[in-house]
Amino acid sequence: RDMAPRAWRRSGSLGGITVFSVDGQPPPQVERPDVNVLCRVCAAFGLAVGQIAFAFDPTGRCVCEENLFLDLARIPRASSLVSPGSALIFWATEVATMVAHQGTGPAIDERLLQVQADLLAHALPGLLQSDAQIGAGSGGHAEQSGGEPSWSPGGYSGGGSSWSSGYAGQSGGYGSQSSFPDAHGTWVAHHWQSGRH
C-alpha cells in the first residue's frame, strides 16, 4: 500500500464544507450531502462541521489517514440511503473511522477497529435517540445535556469535548498531520485524546 505523503490542495466547497484533492486534481461532481446530518454526527463526536473537510484521492487511497477528511467519493453512497437513520449511521461510521485514524495512525489494524468501535458505542446511542425525537416531531436538533457537545444553527457549543485545537502556523499546501485551514483560513491542528486499552 502506498504510504507516501500527499499534497492536499483546496479545490472548492460543497454544502459549505471545504473540499481538498491530491495536488489540486479536480474532484468528481457529486450532489450536496445532507449537511444537517453531518452537523449532528460531528457534534456527537465532539466536532463542529467546520473542523472537517471532504477530500478526494483519485487512487482510491483512504483520505482520513492523517487529516480530518471525509471521502468525497462516499457521498453518492450516503445519498442513496433511503432512511434518515441509515444516513446517520453511515456518516457516524465514516466519522468514527476518521477520528480513530487520528489516534492510531494510518494503519488499518485491530487497534483502529477497537477505537472505531469504542467511538461508535459512545456516539450512536445519542444520535439514534435524537433521530427518534426528531422523527417524533420535536423538530430541529435535539438538545443534549450533561456537558455533551451540541449543534445549533448558530454554531457549535462544545461540552466535555475530547478535542483540543491550536494554531499550527502553516501556510501553503496541506501536509501536517491533523491540521487544516479553518473557515477563516487559519491552519488549525487537532489532536484526538484516545485512551490506550
Side-chain angles (χ1 to χ4, degrees):
R1 194 163 83 121
D2 182 16
M3 298 300 288
R6 293 172 284 189
W8 294 103
R9 304 277 183 246
R10 183 182 174 150
S11 59
S13 67
L14 186 62
I17 300 172
T18 303
V19 175
F20 289 91
S21 61
V22 174
D23 295 324
Q25 294 182 30
Q29 294 294 316
V30 296
E31 66 181 82
R32 183 177 182 246
D34 187 336
V35 177
N36 288 328
V37 168
L38 285 170
C39 289
R40 291 174 51 210
V41 169
C42 285
F45 287 90
L47 293 167
V49 76
Q51 292 177 282
I52 67 165
F54 284 112
F56 175 71
D57 184 331
T59 68
R61 182 174 159 192
C62 178
V63 300
C64 65
E65 293 171 342
E66 297 177 345
N67 300 292
L68 293 175
F69 288 164
L70 294 173
D71 195 333
L72 184 78
R74 302 287 286 153
I75 293 173
R77 176 68 184 125
S79 299
S80 73
L81 299 171
V82 179
S83 119
S86 295
L88 276 175
I89 292 168
F90 178 88
W91 285 118
T93 303
E94 295 290 310
V95 171
T97 302
M98 174 184 73
V99 171
H101 271 296
Q102 304 313 299
T104 65
I108 298 173
D109 57 12
E110 185 65 27
R111 180 73 182 131
L112 174 80
L113 297 175
Q114 288 174 350
V115 172
Q116 179 189 39
D118 289 345
L119 290 167
L120 286 168
H122 175 77
L124 278 179
L127 270 172
L128 296 176
Q129 180 181 14
S130 70
D131 188 50
Q133 290 172 348
I134 290 171
S138 67
H141 295 278
E143 292 184 27
Q144 299 178 4
S145 60
E148 292 295 318
S150 62
W151 182 87
S152 67
Y156 169 78
S157 69
S161 174
S162 297
W163 287 93
S164 61
S165 62
Y167 297 96
Q170 297 177 327
S171 62
Y174 218 104
S176 177
Q177 183 172 359
S178 302
S179 63
F180 59 92
D182 64 14
H184 306 290
T186 305
W187 285 83
V188 180
H190 298 278
H191 307 282
W192 176 249
Q193 306 298 323
S194 65
R196 301 290 179 211
H197 299 272

